[in-house]
Amino acid sequence: MTDDEFAALDMNERDFAIRWVKMSDDEQASFCRGLLAAIEILQRLGVLDDAPPSGEPAAA
């Protein structure tokens, strides 16, 4: 990411980017696993636009 790209981020995005680069590889992997699990649950609940039809599990 360039300085210009970083500057174009909003405050929340910048805060996350800074936290992300400070995480260890294990912390980043754990965060990603948790995020993927949360997305799958939100899809199953129909919260996200691309939610699968009711009763079908989301693709991993």
Side-chain angles (χ1 to χ4, degrees), residues 2-55:
T2 67
D3 289 343
D4 289 338
E5 291 170 329
F6 184 80
L9 298 175
D10 69 32
M11 183 63 79
N12 289 331
E13 292 169 330
R14 275 188 235 134
D15 289 346
F16 178 77
I18 291 168
R19 284 194 308 264
W20 178 261
V21 297
K22 290 181 178 182
M23 287 182 194
S24 68
D25 289 344
D26 288 341
E27 290 169 326
Q28 288 178 349
S30 178
F31 177 86
C32 288
R33 284 190 302 272
L35 182 59
L36 290 172
I39 289 169
E40 184 173 337
I41 295 300
L42 291 173
Q43 286 175 328
R44 289 182 182 182
L45 293 173
V47 174
L48 301 178
D49 292 337
D50 61 344
S54 179

